[in-house]
Amino acid sequence: MRRLVPDRPTLLALGSGLLLAFSFPRLDLASVAWFALAPLFVSMFGRPFRSGFVAGAGFFAVVLYWLNIVMTTYGQMHPLFSLAAYLILVCYLALFFAVTTWAACRLRERLGLSIVVTLPVFWVALEFLRSFLLSGFPWATLGYSQQSHLALVQSADLFGVYGISFLLILSNATLARCWQWYAGRTAGSRPFPLAALTVALLLFAANAGYGFYRLGQGVDVREETLTLGLIQGNIDQSVKWDPTNQEATVDTYRRLSEEAVRSGSAELLIWPESATPFYFQDGGPLAALVREVPQGGAEGLIFGSPAYEVVNRRYHYLNSAFLLSPQGTVLGRSDKIHLVPFGEYVPLKPFLPFIDKLVVGIGDFSPGTVSPLPMNGSEIGVLVCFEGIFPELARDYVAKGSDLLVNITNDAWFGRSSAPYQHLAMTRFRAIENRVWVARAANTGISALIAPSGRIVAQTPIFETRYLTGSVGLGASPTLYTRFGDLLPILLLPFCCFWLVKTRKPSSAALDPEDLLP
């Protein structure tokens, strides 16, 4: 019976994972992330892989609980199958925690390397791998936990979100070493880890100092501005694709757009992802109604709509954004690049014929390319749906001359969960990394205007039918991140490989007695 009771290291690992989850929205206890993993790093040495896995499972199980809402409510999946799919994903993501703690302990045992050195390196490298492995799922990258501490995330314009993750793990590992010294100080352990603590404090101070410096530079100010009208139609997902509801949907967006132009002087109107649940490119009465919208006084309209292309007699479906001129003519189309697996396409479909998409709609989508939309001499980069969580896509748009980033999305799938808040938190980093304004139009919210400092200038509540108007600046300021991208994790990956190869050779490095403490 006693074997069924988790041991102390397992409980500490689970506690670390759960505590870390509290640092993300909606609880948003950001400061907790600076010490949440210290219990895991203190107790992981007996069973490092299991400890990391337990912590990761606890973390992702809490942060991603909303996936069950998506799969059961909108995917019409049986609760048991939904739970199975959810647990499989949680276990997969927990492996990244597990490999990190296993590798750090192995390097300590075989090479005598301190966890203060190895944990930040492996953590960031594996977070980077998670962002593109198996199509990529960088949701809840550790650095995003600090989105509400603006001064601490300004360095994202240097190293991206991974730089913040590095500092967070360095802090946790240093605290763990200090605790190990305190607990083992009477057992002849090594001297106090002064060097590690000094480096951690200096880097934290430098990061905070840089943040306050950048915030004081007026990074949000631009000479050229544009007044936007973000239209939040709040269309119920259960009727969104119902043909009998299409006209009512268009009427809702038209009415809100007229109010935004009339009361807020909106120059550019932005509707969410798939705002027109029909093929706009085919024309017809509903498409004609959409074309009339910018003719009511706006300088343009960006809206989401499904589209298609015919190549060699085969249809390629696209999740697109169209830009209309004041005369209602199409100025450009931007297609979604990073598709949602099992939502917009089925990976390895020939080998998985029994699996269908979760989203009821048109068919399997095809990826597009980076194509900014031209408007009055400026370029607008459009990130569709969860493309806002992929740093490289926003960077590519800015590198191609985008003066404004627009994120159109439909977060109705998430219900009244923490997911819309997590989604917005990650999108804020795209503004900081590239020092560019970001406008976010969401079907059910959260719609928001985000300044280059990451500050949310204005936002809407969720599940309310309304519009949001506000002025944004045009133009992106040059940043180290825009120029070099995710250079930090790319440089750290070879270190991980080199260290692991070296551990294959027998080593006489002695294990630090501090690392044996439970």
Side-chain angles (χ1 to χ4, degrees):
M1 188 68 178
R2 292 182 58 186
R3 293 181 180 179
L4 298 178
V5 179
D7 56 21
R8 184 166 176 262
T10 300
L11 290 174
L12 287 172
L14 179 61
S16 271
L18 297 178
L19 193 60
L20 184 63
F22 295 161
S23 64
F24 284 78
R26 293 196 67 187
L27 287 181
D28 204 20
L29 303 176
S31 299
V32 169
W34 293 94
F35 58 83
L37 290 171
L40 166 66
F41 296 160
V42 167
S43 61
M44 64 183 179
F45 297 96
R47 294 185 177 90
F49 188 90
R50 187 181 73 173
S51 295
F53 184 85
V54 169
F59 171 70
F60 286 110
V62 173
V63 171
L64 301 177
Y65 77 92
W66 47 265
L67 282 170
N68 290 286
I69 299 174
V70 177
M71 291 185 284
T72 57
T73 304
Y74 301 110
Q76 303 300 314
M77 187 180 288
H78 190 280
L80 288 178
F81 292 116
S82 169
L83 180 61
Y86 162 73
L87 291 176
I88 289 172
L89 178 61
V90 166
C91 290
Y92 162 70
L93 296 174
L95 290 175
F96 290 90
F97 280 48
V99 172
T100 298
T101 51
W102 169 83
C105 290
R106 183 177 177 85
L107 291 170
R108 180 66 194 92
E109 180 183 355
R110 295 294 184 89
L111 304 181
L113 294 176
S114 170
I115 62 171
V116 176
V117 175
T118 57
L119 276 172
V121 172
F122 269 92
W123 190 284
V124 169
L126 288 173
E127 274 195 336
F128 180 62
L129 281 178
R130 178 161 67 89
S131 73
F132 61 83
L133 201 64
L134 300 180
S135 94
F137 190 65
W139 200 283
T141 295
L142 186 56
Y144 289 133
S145 66
Q146 302 306 296
Q147 56 96 23
S148 58
H149 289 342
L150 279 185
L152 298 182
V153 297
Q154 296 305 306
S155 59
D157 69 354
L158 301 176
F159 309 111
V161 67
Y162 299 108
I164 314 300
S165 292
F166 188 96
L167 288 178
L168 286 164
I169 297 302
L170 178 64
S171 169
N172 280 273
T174 302
L175 288 175
R177 293 295 291 160
C178 289
W179 174 254
Q180 288 173 328
W181 168 83
Y182 176 79
R185 66 191 186 284
T186 60
S189 63
R190 291 192 309 175
F192 180 75
L194 180 62
L197 184 59
T198 301
V199 171
L201 289 174
L202 286 176
L203 288 179
F204 180 86
N207 182 63
Y210 178 80
F212 284 113
Y213 167 72
R214 292 295 279 159
L215 289 174
Q217 282 191 312
V219 293
D220 297 341
V221 179
R222 298 290 185 274
E223 292 184 4
E224 189 177 356
T225 61
L226 183 67
T227 302
L228 304 182
L230 309 181
I231 312 303
Q232 185 169 300
N234 193 30
I235 307 300
D236 193 317
Q237 195 62 33
S238 63
V239 300
K240 183 177 180 65
W241 296 98
D242 185 347
T244 62
N245 196 62
Q246 291 176 346
E247 186 172 354
T249 296
V250 173
D251 287 343
T252 297
Y253 283 111
R254 281 168 55 89
R255 174 177 57 81
L256 291 171
S257 297
E258 291 170 0
E259 293 178 8
V261 172
R262 184 170 58 250
S263 62
S265 302
E267 299 170 278
L268 174 63
L269 297 166
I270 304 175
W271 295 2
E273 175 192 16
S274 299
T276 61
F278 53 86
Y279 290 110
F280 170 81
Q281 70 188 82
D282 284 347
L286 292 179
L289 291 174
V290 176
R291 289 180 182 273
E292 292 175 0
V293 172
Q295 299 176 35
E299 293 183 13
L301 167 65
I302 293 177
F303 63 95
S305 176
Y308 63 87
E309 293 177 344
V310 182
V311 180
N312 296 327
R313 298 184 180 181
R314 293 186 61 184
Y315 281 82
H316 294 266
Y317 297 100
L318 306 159
N319 190 350
S320 305
F322 288 84
L323 171 62
L324 299 184
S325 72
Q327 294 75 37
T329 57
V330 177
L331 296 176
R333 191 191 80 203
S334 180
D335 305 319
K336 186 174 184 180
I337 301 166
H338 201 122
L339 304 175
V340 181
F342 303 106
E344 292 170 318
Y345 78 105
V346 177
L348 304 174
K349 189 173 183 178
F351 303 99
L352 303 171
F354 53 89
I355 295 181
D356 200 0
K357 296 191 297 97
L358 290 177
V359 179
V360 177
I362 302 144
D364 275 353
F365 287 94
S366 297
T369 57
V370 176
S371 305
L373 299 174
M375 178 182 169
N376 297 337
S378 298
E379 300 284 335
I380 301 174
V382 180
L383 303 169
V384 181
C385 190
F386 90 143
E387 285 187 326
I389 75 173
F390 292 93
E392 65 276 8
L393 284 178
R395 173 178 172 264
D396 287 345
Y397 271 108
V398 173
K400 284 207 169 185
S402 296
D403 301 295
L404 171 70
L405 291 180
V406 170
N407 178 213
I408 59 173
T409 185
N410 178 21
D411 287 359
W413 308 105
F414 303 141
R416 295 183 180 275
S417 69
S418 60
Y421 302 90
Q422 294 172 5
H423 200 182
L424 173 64
M426 292 181 278
T427 307
R428 295 177 73 177
F429 275 74
R430 308 295 83 85
I432 303 170
E433 290 161 350
N434 302 285
R435 295 301 180 192
V436 65
W437 280 83
V438 176
R440 188 172 192 269
N443 173 28
T444 55
I446 305 168
S447 301
L449 297 175
I450 307 171
S453 63
R455 180 172 58 92
I456 298 178
V457 176
Q459 70 180 73
T460 63
I462 61 173
F463 290 99
E464 288 191 12
T465 304
R466 60 166 58 195
Y467 64 88
L468 176 66
T469 59
S471 180
V472 300
L474 295 178
S477 300
T479 70
L480 189 71
Y481 181 82
T482 303
R483 184 173 181 182
F484 294 106
D486 295 313
L487 186 61
L488 174 64
I490 291 174
L491 290 177
L492 294 182
L493 277 170
F495 279 97
C496 297
C497 297
F498 173 73
W499 281 339
L500 288 177
V501 168
K502 286 198 68 176
T503 62
R504 298 182 63 183
K505 300 178 181 179
S507 174
S508 58
L511 186 64
D512 191 334
E514 298 176 42
D515 288 345
L516 295 174
L517 292 172

